[in-house]
Amino acid sequence: MKNILVIAEHDHATLKTATLNTVSAAQSIGGEIHILVAGSNCAGAAAASAKIPGVAKVLQADAGHYAHHLAEDLAVLIAGLAKDYSHVLAPATTFGKNLMPRVAALLDVTQLSDIVGVENADTFVRPIYAGSMLATVQCSAPVKVITVRSTAFAAAASEGGTAPVETVPAAAPLGVARFIGQELTKSERPELTAARIVVSGGRGMGSSEGFKLLEDIADQLGAAVGASRAAVDAGFAPNDYQIGQTGKIIAPELYIAAGISGAIQHLAGMKDSKIIVAINKDEEAPIFQITDYGIVGDLFKVLPELFAELDKLPPA
Amino acid sequence: MKVLVAVKRVVDYNVKVYPKADGSGVEIANVKMSMNPFDEIAVEEAVQLKELGKATEIIAASIGVSQCQEVLRTALAMGADRAVLIETDAAPEPLVVAKLLKALVEREQPGLVILGKQAIDDDCNQTGQMLAALLGWGQGAFASKLTLGEQEIEVIREIDGGLETVALKLPAVVTADLRLNEPRYVKLPNIIKAKKKPLETLSPGDLGVVLATQMTTLKVAEPPKREAGIKVADAAELVAKLRNDAKVI
């Protein structure tokens, strides 16, 4: 049995939590786990990786051209390291989805996207058709290149380990892509994919001002704010709020959907939430087929009432 | 500049699909098929580049059974100039699709390849990135805006925290996300015109690509169903249930 390489997603100083879920998927495959931290001045993220219990070794590749995680450059590095591993795993975030097919193609192997289950070292479960079906697939490639759906694997512990950090040389830059800039949505609220509670709005919110009602409730609950594709397309919410087949996949403890009818593409992104609440004026809306608690009513009346009720709720 | 656009024939996004009775795959017999929605966006973007005078010729390519001609005709009706079908009854894995497209790129020498970011059937989200890797080109995956220059293309990409802008040396590969554009509605005269546009059929062997597989589907099943819960009368009852029964607030 060869070892498993987990590609860390990080901001150079700290690890993104999806990395911990990916380590947990690696643990369920079984084998010695190494983590690659490729970045620029990324000792902080490497040190954080070393503290994850069960990690045997951290590889740190530090170079200026890894500062922006360009897939073109990272893929060359990872493909060079991958020959020593049976599996290479990354989170199925936009980072991992951009990077891992490129790694696989350089290795001339197929890639497994978005796994939600591990049957054994070469057989995995992954959703197809917007999660309306699960496929169990067996992979014969010598290196299994995999992206992991973070909601399907509990996060590994982040403290307690003492793995050694080893420096690996950076690969030469490919020189075909250049980072220009980023426009990140600024928010004091928790990150959507990591939030315990998510309050989400659809086309029924009517406007970006309508979203204000949701934001107030989100702030009461310490929740993140999400949106359906329809709401994003209508300009009510930014693109990175989108939950669904092609947006973010989340599974919070509580998901509150307001003015979302429940297209299958949206359900694909949130149906594994523990408790689902829907507020919709259409009694026949498909979202009610999967909700634990539904309110049929006008959200412009219900949401302010919900705000008032939460306001007078004593601390738990 | 020539632009190559790859389009996949998939089960229409409005159709609910089911596993085959023996669990060996997905039942797609007698199901409505359409162009993958993300590929429609890719075609639209290429057509807009031509309308801006930045693209000279648009070649639409598809890989699969002979009925893929229908989605190629749709691409032609949207404004592609000619089409290539690489015909096979196999359902090639993304890596093989990328190899076939690479061979086509070597034959056609486009300056830009646009694909949809993912197919809505297998939800793989791999082919564009793999093609870029095989060609050694830059990749603008999940694009929401393109600015095509002489030597470079600037791509705004949808990423988890917001948007990212990268510049790629040309030639390059771009994969279309939802908000790159809104595909046009195809008009009847254009459908008629599209029937006269050239559509060439090749075999994978013509391009020197062997259809190897590294993946076997053992089983396809529906996930466990979620039971519908209850309706509550108002916000007060909801808050009480969430606090006392579900214990999530």
Side-chain angles (χ1 to χ4, degrees):
Chain A
M1 180 86 205
K2 284 204 217 163
N3 303 331
I4 301 176
L5 182 65
V6 170
I7 312 301
E9 181 171 358
H10 61 89
D11 63 5
H12 310 283
T14 59
L15 282 180
K16 297 272 167 85
T17 41
T19 308
L20 298 173
N21 305 91
T22 308
V23 168
S24 158
Q27 284 165 339
S28 55
I29 295 169
E32 191 174 304
I33 298 169
H34 299 175
I35 296 192
L36 172 69
V37 178
S40 174
N41 298 319
C42 57
S49 302
K51 286 189 199 153
I52 304 172
V55 169
K57 188 159 73 172
V58 177
L59 309 179
Q60 184 186 349
D62 216 305
H65 58 284
Y66 298 145
H68 302 294
H69 310 293
L70 289 174
E72 290 85 347
D73 292 330
L74 288 179
V76 179
L77 171 73
I78 296 164
L81 296 168
K83 293 172 190 76
D84 297 330
Y85 294 90
S86 58
H87 299 74
V88 183
L89 273 60
T93 52
T94 52
F95 164 78
K97 289 176 181 176
N98 187 34
L99 174 62
M100 295 305 261
R102 188 155 185 127
V103 171
L106 293 180
L107 293 168
D108 195 26
V109 296
T110 197
Q111 196 237 297
L112 289 137
S113 293
D114 230 359
I115 64 160
V116 296
V118 176
E119 300 273 297
N120 56 52
D122 67 9
T123 306
F124 305 89
V125 181
R126 58 176 304 268
I128 55 173
Y129 287 89
S132 61
M133 280 174 287
L134 295 173
T136 305
V137 291
Q138 189 171 31
C139 176
S140 66
V143 184
K144 276 81 175 162
V145 179
I146 295 170
T147 60
V148 175
R149 179 173 290 194
S150 59
T151 55
F153 297 89
S158 59
E159 295 288 342
T162 51
V165 178
E166 200 176 280
T167 303
V168 293
L174 200 59
V176 293
R178 190 162 53 86
F179 173 85
I180 293 189
Q182 267 184 354
E183 207 181 297
L184 301 182
T185 307
K186 287 195 184 65
S187 174
E188 299 296 312
R189 298 186 191 101
E191 205 190 323
L192 252 181
T193 49
R196 200 179 69 80
I197 301 177
V198 173
V199 183
S200 196
R203 198 196 297 276
M205 297 309 301
S207 66
S208 47
E209 290 73 44
F211 261 77
K212 183 75 177 53
L213 292 171
L214 293 180
E215 287 163 5
D216 291 344
I217 289 169
D219 292 339
Q220 278 176 317
L221 294 167
V225 178
S228 70
R229 177 188 169 180
V232 176
D233 283 351
F236 303 165
N239 68 283
D240 59 305
Y241 277 32
Q242 186 178 321
I243 290 158
Q245 179 185 19
T246 70
K248 291 195 173 67
I249 311 278
I250 60 169
E253 281 186 44
L254 172 61
Y255 186 83
I256 301 177
I260 293 177
S261 62
I264 182 170
Q265 290 81 3
H266 182 75
L267 303 188
M270 45 60 78
K271 67 182 163 60
D272 294 326
S273 306
K274 190 170 155 236
I275 298 289
I276 299 174
V277 171
I279 303 162
N280 204 297
K281 63 178 181 217
D282 177 10
E283 188 174 1
E284 303 296 320
I287 189 113
F288 285 127
Q289 291 165 17
I290 63 155
T291 49
D292 298 281
Y293 305 109
I295 297 185
V296 179
D298 179 359
L299 56 90
F300 295 104
K301 182 169 162 285
V302 176
L303 289 176
E305 284 170 6
L306 181 57
F307 182 88
E309 289 296 329
L310 289 170
D311 210 36
K312 63 186 187 202
L313 190 70
Chain B
M1 173 194 291
K2 273 197 210 177
V3 178
L4 177 68
V5 188
V7 295
K8 185 177 184 182
R9 176 178 178 263
V10 297
V11 172
D12 187 87
Y13 79 102
N14 280 314
V15 174
K16 166 96 178 96
V17 283
Y18 296 93
K20 286 183 181 164
D22 64 359
S24 64
V26 180
E27 187 53 76
I28 58 166
N30 304 315
V31 166
K32 186 186 176 204
M33 306 292 280
S34 300
M35 189 191 297
N36 178 42
F38 289 98
D39 300 345
E40 261 187 284
I41 298 171
V43 174
E44 174 65 34
E45 194 66 17
V47 174
Q48 290 187 14
L49 286 173
K50 193 174 174 197
E51 287 167 348
L52 287 169
K54 294 192 169 174
T56 50
E57 188 187 24
I58 301 165
I59 305 143
S62 192
I63 298 163
V65 294
S66 71
Q67 291 92 324
C68 291
Q69 288 184 34
E70 294 157 19
V71 295
L72 286 172
R73 290 291 170 203
T74 304
L76 293 169
M78 287 175 74
D81 297 293
R82 59 189 172 90
V84 179
L85 170 61
I86 303 168
E87 193 173 331
T88 169
D89 288 337
E93 291 165 15
L95 179 65
V96 177
V97 172
K99 288 179 179 178
L100 289 164
L101 291 173
K102 175 179 183 256
L104 199 58
V105 164
E106 281 161 358
R107 198 182 79 149
E108 298 286 352
Q109 302 284 319
L112 182 67
V113 184
I114 313 179
L115 308 87
K117 78 162 178 180
Q118 83 190 62
I120 60 163
D121 51 3
D122 59 28
D123 282 332
C124 275
N125 192 334
Q126 298 173 6
T127 304
Q129 296 90 312
M130 287 181 158
L131 175 62
L134 296 177
L135 291 164
W137 293 2
Q139 63 186 51
F142 331 140
S144 72
K145 188 172 191 293
L146 305 184
T147 311
L148 185 57
E150 292 291 318
Q151 309 292 326
E152 280 190 338
I153 183 166
E154 225 176 84
V155 183
I156 299 182
R157 308 177 51 233
E158 297 204 11
I159 59 167
D160 285 336
L163 299 169
E164 173 183 278
T165 309
V166 291
L168 311 173
K169 267 192 190 157
L170 290 169
V173 174
V174 166
T175 75
D177 212 319
L178 285 172
R179 281 166 282 274
L180 185 57
N181 59 53
E182 240 175 84
R184 67 196 60 199
Y185 184 74
V186 177
K187 298 193 185 87
L188 187 61
N190 291 342
I191 294 173
I192 294 164
K193 253 192 269 175
K195 288 184 178 152
K196 295 201 179 101
K197 290 184 178 176
L199 192 160
E200 180 186 10
T201 302
L202 300 172
S203 74
D206 292 338
L207 293 166
V209 176
V210 181
L211 300 185
T213 59
Q214 297 179 357
M215 198 99 78
T216 315
T217 299
L218 304 180
K219 189 175 82 178
V220 171
E222 286 189 279
K225 278 226 174 3
R226 207 182 161 109
E227 297 295 319
I230 57 165
K231 295 269 182 3
V232 294
D234 53 28
E237 191 186 348
L238 174 65
V239 169
K241 293 277 184 201
L242 292 177
R243 167 62 63 96
N244 303 323
D245 296 354
K247 299 185 169 42
V248 288
I249 60 170

